[in-house]
Amino acid sequence: MRLRCAVLDDYQGVATEVADWSPVADDVEVVGFARHFADEDALAAALADFDIVVTLRERVPFPASLLARLPRLKLLIASGMHNTVIDYAAAEAQGVTVCGTPSASTPPVELTWALLLGLARGLVTENEALRAGGPWQSTVGADLHGRRLGLLGLGKIGSRVAQVGLAFGMRVSAWSRHLTKERAEEFGVELAASKEELLSSSDFVSVHLALGDRTRGLIGAAELALLKPTAYLVNTSRAAIVDQDALLTALHEGRFAGAGVDVFDVEPLPADHPMRSAPRLLATPHLGYVSRANYEAYYSGAVEDIQAFLAGSPVRRLG
């Protein structure tokens, strides 16, 4: 009897197209789910008859309470090699092997710049006006050359965002709690004296920090108030780093020029979520890692994980 493998959040229905699943076809039946399950009850019911689950990034939590309701589950594969929403201790206790996959940091870098450029040049506003027979030019674009780009975080993603900013002729500075001047200088970036100095002096601010106890709510009402009236804020990292209520208030009150956001406190966003109608907001449905090359890496890696698991030698184990 073949094992059953569920692929969660396969919104585009491409999981079995972007990778070759034939190496495990004789042993595994693959079922993709294009819709997101809103709660644990619905998810537990949908996954009850599956031995393997492939989940994208950190979109679906796997706490002990859910794992306990999945007695058939033997292999849980999470795309990438870092996942904070899986209870590893509970998985181990239940005999569930957890594995990761290859992942690239370039797709979120590219989306960051898509949002930043879209905001700077009013692309959505101008495109909608052009298609609807509206005014011919109604916005005045913000320049990048010579302006200051402030990065919260200078890791794999932040450092690549910095390189693009420098190519545009921007002055780039960065800040995080443990960032050193030497590390910043490796990338031709200035070390900001403080988070507050970075926020108050930057024309564009982009968030590239991991979510943790020290970064949750790092940007609240007081920090947003430091932004220039002409500044833009971009967050492709984690929603909880920026206080969502404070962000909505600032956008409605027009305290700064606008925000580009790819991450939200609830995903997918409910139809009536205030982020869907917020002014001065360019928003995308968590597309940071959604690129063909990355999906090929995720699902090809999942196939490799399944092969190794079936052979009794799991690879890329997490936890």
Side-chain angles (χ1 to χ4, degrees), residues 88-111:
Y88 294 107
E92 183 178 7
Q94 194 170 308
V96 177
T97 300
V98 185
C99 297
T101 75
S103 178
S105 59
T106 50
V109 173
E110 294 165 2
L111 184 72

Side-chain angles (χ1 to χ4, degrees), residues 276-306:
R276 288 188 180 269
S277 57
R280 303 176 182 84
L281 177 67
L282 175 57
T284 48
H286 204 154
L287 297 177
Y289 283 87
V290 181
S291 77
R292 187 167 189 87
N294 227 15
Y295 270 30
E296 289 172 351
Y298 289 165
Y299 295 119
S300 294
V303 173
E304 293 170 356
D305 289 347
I306 294 170

Side-chain angles (χ1 to χ4, degrees), residues 102-146:
S103 178
S105 59
T106 50
V109 173
E110 294 165 2
L111 184 72
T112 295
W113 280 101
L115 289 171
L116 194 151
L117 289 166
L119 286 167
R121 301 306 295 265
L123 294 187
V124 174
T125 299
E126 296 290 1
N127 176 260
E128 290 179 346
L130 185 146
R131 294 172 67 87
W136 184 262
Q137 298 183 6
S138 63
T139 64
V140 177
D143 295 285
L144 272 61
H145 185 85

Side-chain angles (χ1 to χ4, degrees), residues 50-271:
F50 286 91
D51 309 276
I52 303 169
V53 172
V54 179
T55 182
L56 276 178
R57 304 300 301 167
E58 296 170 321
R59 295 177 184 176
V60 179
F62 278 83
S65 57
L66 174 58
L67 291 167
R69 299 169 71 177
L70 304 175
R72 277 189 55 169
L73 184 63
K74 297 302 178 186
L75 176 62
L76 177 58
I77 300 171
S79 61
M81 291 300 294
H82 178 75
N83 194 299
T84 62
V85 298
I86 296 173
D87 188 326
Y88 294 107
E92 183 178 7
Q94 194 170 308
V96 177
T97 300
V98 185
C99 297
T101 75
S103 178
S105 59
T106 50
V109 173
E110 294 165 2
L111 184 72
T112 295
W113 280 101
L115 289 171
L116 194 151
L117 289 166
L119 286 167
R121 301 306 295 265
L123 294 187
V124 174
T125 299
E126 296 290 1
N127 176 260
E128 290 179 346
L130 185 146
R131 294 172 67 87
W136 184 262
Q137 298 183 6
S138 63
T139 64
V140 177
D143 295 285
L144 272 61
H145 185 85
R147 300 303 189 269
R148 189 175 190 189
L149 170 64
L151 302 175
L152 290 165
L154 196 65
K156 287 193 297 184
I157 295 174
S159 60
R160 289 183 173 182
V161 171
Q163 292 170 348
V164 178
L166 292 169
F168 272 118
M170 302 182 79
R171 294 178 293 119
V172 183
S173 61
W175 176 89
S176 67
R177 281 190 171 90
H178 302 295
L179 182 62
T180 64
K181 181 179 179 182
E182 291 73 22
R183 166 74 176 175
E185 288 178 345
E186 285 181 28
F187 300 99
V189 172
E190 303 171 16
L191 175 64
S194 65
K195 173 182 66 176
E196 291 74 18
E197 190 271 333
L198 181 138
L199 292 170
S200 62
S201 63
S202 297
D203 300 290
F204 299 88
V205 175
S206 192
V207 181
H208 302 288
L209 295 166
L211 178 62
D213 292 339
R214 292 187 175 184
T215 58
R216 188 179 299 275
L218 183 72
I219 307 299
E223 288 77 17
L224 292 172
L226 296 173
L227 294 173
K228 298 178 181 180
T230 54
Y232 294 93
L233 172 70
V234 176
N235 186 9
T236 57
S237 184
R238 290 292 181 266
I241 296 172
V242 180
D243 184 291
Q244 299 295 281
D245 291 337
L247 176 60
L248 281 166
T249 297
L251 290 171
H252 279 283
E253 295 181 356
R255 295 183 188 174
F256 56 94
V261 172
D262 186 49
V263 287
F264 307 91
D265 55 354
V266 179
E267 295 183 5
L269 276 182

